[in-house]
């Protein structure tokens, strides 16, 4: 009896140790290597574990039953200026630093099984159909998507120190590659805002949010240069270096243009030499160049009511529902989406002290430069702490 009891204790102890070690010792498949053909998506793309920061907070199989203001759907669509999602926190008054691993999709329109961005949140936006990417940038009241209004935010991307992405397990689809400004204009005039129902997974993307601003860039995987155009290592220098646009002219307008590709972030020409600057791992982050905004054409300005009719004509956002099936079109009850959730996936988030985020010089435009990030640094520090 005594021997058996001792043996089982040993067995339990050793299996516990194995289980505790496996997330750090196993090489998990990087999120950016996981490719899906819509609509064949698993419940969670990470599987059960999700590595040292796992398990995945939300889920990827999203549909009308998951569409409400408490949805933890982590599948985003970036289809057009009328129909895109951004990542933000599941809990009110949060910061990107705290919530990056568990962020969920917030979309301009119902239909993706996600939370819907409340009407009036976005005060200006510009969508660019570039040759090898699509990009949407703009201004918003970030408190309406659960961020503290003073949060300087940071970058979400499908990498991170453990390569499981921020949010962990977040995936993105689009129907926008191959579309241009004129075709989008026809979609608007023929009242077909949804566009094609064939969706491509975006493998390399960046998504910044913070300081009342957001920018999303989705690089076309058909272009081998996609990882450079959507480079994720410049997380501290914000939208004005990573997603080039004329930010000073965007707030208060809703515009769609065609565009040339930008030069990949970090790459610049000096005295005729093409040079690549890398963001330093420590110390002040001061890019040695002013980015050149690529030229755009065929710009069309829209009224926000033309773009976000479903979300924007209701002054109330869809009510959180407890019933199993709900349509987001049934909209009553403003200011919902505030139910506190436990953050099971992120018990060891570092505390992001916004006061310590370095601020950097201007971008030559009219806006104050917005320094965002520290997230890669935080992730690296975090995983080093875990691994140590
Ligand atoms: C809808 O999503 C839920 C939650 O992910 C899932 O359990 C269910 O199977 C989905 N339904 C369909 C028809 O895909
Ligand atoms: C939001 O969080 C900040 C910092 O923790 C706190 O000072 C503030 O009172 C909070 N605001 C609300 C509306 O809860
Ligand atoms: C953008 O415009 C809105 C509404 O006019 C304003 O409240 C907000 O402060 C502006 N954002 C920035 C960053 O200037």
């Amino acid at each position: 009896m005594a021997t058996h009891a001792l043996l089982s204790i040993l067995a339990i102890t050793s299996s516990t140790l194995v289980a505790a070690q496996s997330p750090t010792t196993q090489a998990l498949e990087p999120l950016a290597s996981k490719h899906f053909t819509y609509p064949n998506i698993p419940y969670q793309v990470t599987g059960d574990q999700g590595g040292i920061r796992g398990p995945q907070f939300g889920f990827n199989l999203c549909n009308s039953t998951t569409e409400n203001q408490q949805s933890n759907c982590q599948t985003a669509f970036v289809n057009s200026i009328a129909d895109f999602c951004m990542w933000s926190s599941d809990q009110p008054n949060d910061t990107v630093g705290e919530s990056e691993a568990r962020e969920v999709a917030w979309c301009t329109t119902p239909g993706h099984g996600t939370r819907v961005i409340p009407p009036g949140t976005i005060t200006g936006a510009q969508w660019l159909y570039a040759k090898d990417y699509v990009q949407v940038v703009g201004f918003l009241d970030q408190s309406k998507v659960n961020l503290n209004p003073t949060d300087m935010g940071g970058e979400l991307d499908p990498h991170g120190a453990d390569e499981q992405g921020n949010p962990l397990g977040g995936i993105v689809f689009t129907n926008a590659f191959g579309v241009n400004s004129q075709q989008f204009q026809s979609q608007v005039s023929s009242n077909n805002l949804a566009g094609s129902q064939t969706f491509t997974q975006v493998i390399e993307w960046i998504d910044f949010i913070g300081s009342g601003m957001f920018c999303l860039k989705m690089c076309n995987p058909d272009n081998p240069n996609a990882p450079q155009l959507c480079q994720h290592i410049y997380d501290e220098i914000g939208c004005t270096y990573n997603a080039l646009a004329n930010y000073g002219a965007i707030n208060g307008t809703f515009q769609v243009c065609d565009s040339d590709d930008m030069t990949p972030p970090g790459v610049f020409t000096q005295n005729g030499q093409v040079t690549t600057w890398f963001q330093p791992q420590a110390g002040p982050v001061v890019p040695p160049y002013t980015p050149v905004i690529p030229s755009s054409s065929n710009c069309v300005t829209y009224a926000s009511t033309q773009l976000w009719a479903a979300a924007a004509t209701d002054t109330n956002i869809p009510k959180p529902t407890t019933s199993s099936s709900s349509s987001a079109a049934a909209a009553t009850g403003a200011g919902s989406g505030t139910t506190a959730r436990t953050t099971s996936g992120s018990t060891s988030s570092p505390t992001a002290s916004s006061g310590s985020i370095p601020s950097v010089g201007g971008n030559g435009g009219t806006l104050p430069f917005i320094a965002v990030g520290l997230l890669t640094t935080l992730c690296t520090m975090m995983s080093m702490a875990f691994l140590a």
Side-chain angles (χ1 to χ4, degrees):
M1 282 288 281
T3 314
H4 277 125
L6 181 60
L7 282 176
S8 6
I9 288 166
L10 285 173
I12 288 163
T13 310
S14 65
S15 69
T16 306
L17 285 175
V18 168
Q21 278 179 357
S22 56
T24 50
T25 52
Q26 269 170 25
L28 292 172
E29 186 183 1
L31 179 62
S33 307
K34 295 178 181 175
H35 298 176
F36 305 96
T37 306
Y38 190 84
N40 303 314
I41 301 172
Y43 178 70
Q44 288 180 319
V45 303
T46 56
D48 293 335
Q49 298 257 6
I52 53 175
R53 296 184 299 140
Q56 183 174 350
F57 176 71
F59 50 84
N60 302 101
L61 188 59
C62 311
N63 53 44
S64 59
T65 70
T66 68
E67 185 157 295
N68 56 64
Q69 293 305 100
Q70 266 83 52
S71 182
N72 291 332
C73 173
Q74 293 178 310
T75 298
F77 287 79
V78 180
N79 290 332
S80 71
I81 195 173
D83 178 11
F84 66 92
C85 312
M86 61 180 77
W87 304 116
S88 197
S89 179
D90 60 301
Q91 309 175 8
N93 200 26
D94 210 348
T95 65
V96 177
E98 285 288 342
S99 63
E100 57 174 359
R102 61 178 146 82
E103 291 201 349
V104 300
W106 291 77
C107 304
T108 58
T109 180
H112 300 304
T114 66
R115 302 181 190 215
V116 176
I117 297 170
T121 301
I122 298 174
T123 54
Q126 183 197 52
W127 177 285
L128 298 181
Y129 289 102
K131 186 172 153 286
D132 294 301
Y133 59 85
V134 294
Q135 172 178 296
V136 59
V137 310
F139 294 82
L140 82 171
D141 175 353
Q142 66 192 34
S143 69
K144 294 194 163 120
V145 292
N146 278 354
L147 292 181
N148 180 302
T150 66
D151 183 38
M152 293 166 93
E155 180 181 309
L156 294 304
D157 63 57
H159 297 278
D162 60 4
E163 288 294 340
Q164 298 302 296
N166 282 307
L168 197 132
I171 55 171
V172 185
F173 290 88
T174 186
N175 64 13
F177 296 143
V179 177
N180 63 31
S181 174
Q182 191 188 0
Q183 286 164 339
F184 177 72
Q185 192 178 13
S186 315
Q187 278 179 229
V188 177
S189 39
S190 62
N191 210 12
N192 170 31
L193 283 175
S196 160
Q197 292 305 292
T198 301
F199 300 100
T200 303
Q201 187 188 359
V202 186
I203 307 301
E204 295 292 349
W205 47 265
I206 56 164
D207 175 329
F208 284 82
I209 182 169
S211 298
M213 190 173 169
F214 68 91
C215 57
L216 320 177
K217 188 166 59 174
M218 306 288 130
C219 290
N220 191 334
D222 284 350
N223 179 355
N225 206 28
Q228 278 65 50
L229 283 168
C230 277
Q231 187 54 270
H232 58 90
I233 60 173
Y234 295 97
D235 60 336
E236 292 193 40
I237 57 173
C239 291
T240 56
Y241 280 83
N242 283 286
L244 303 189
N246 186 9
Y247 284 92
I250 291 173
N251 204 3
T253 68
F254 300 88
Q255 191 183 53
V256 176
C257 305
D258 295 325
S259 172
D260 291 348
D261 283 348
M262 65 177 273
T263 304
V267 178
F268 65 105
T269 301
Q270 193 173 43
N271 305 326
Q273 286 283 105
V274 177
T275 309
T276 301
W277 169 79
F278 293 97
Q279 180 181 292
Q281 300 282 335
V285 177
V286 184
Y289 68 100
T290 301
V292 180
I293 298 167
S295 63
S296 53
S297 55
N298 305 323
C299 294
V300 180
T301 297
Y302 298 92
S304 65
T305 47
Q306 284 176 283
L307 302 172
W308 301 323
T313 52
D314 280 318
T315 51
N316 294 317
I317 53 175
K319 190 178 184 165
T321 50
T322 46
S323 67
S324 60
S325 101
S326 71
S327 157
T332 49
S336 48
T338 54
T339 303
R341 309 287 301 206
T342 50
T343 60
S344 55
S346 60
T347 46
S348 43
S349 299
T351 304
S353 156
S354 54
S356 71
I357 293 177
S359 78
V360 220
N363 71 329
T366 52
L367 283 172
F369 179 82
I370 295 166
V372 290
L374 279 186
L375 298 181
T376 298
T377 318
L378 286 174
C379 281
T380 310
M381 281 161 47
M382 233 167 86
S383 56
M384 279 162 59
F386 276 117
L387 293 169

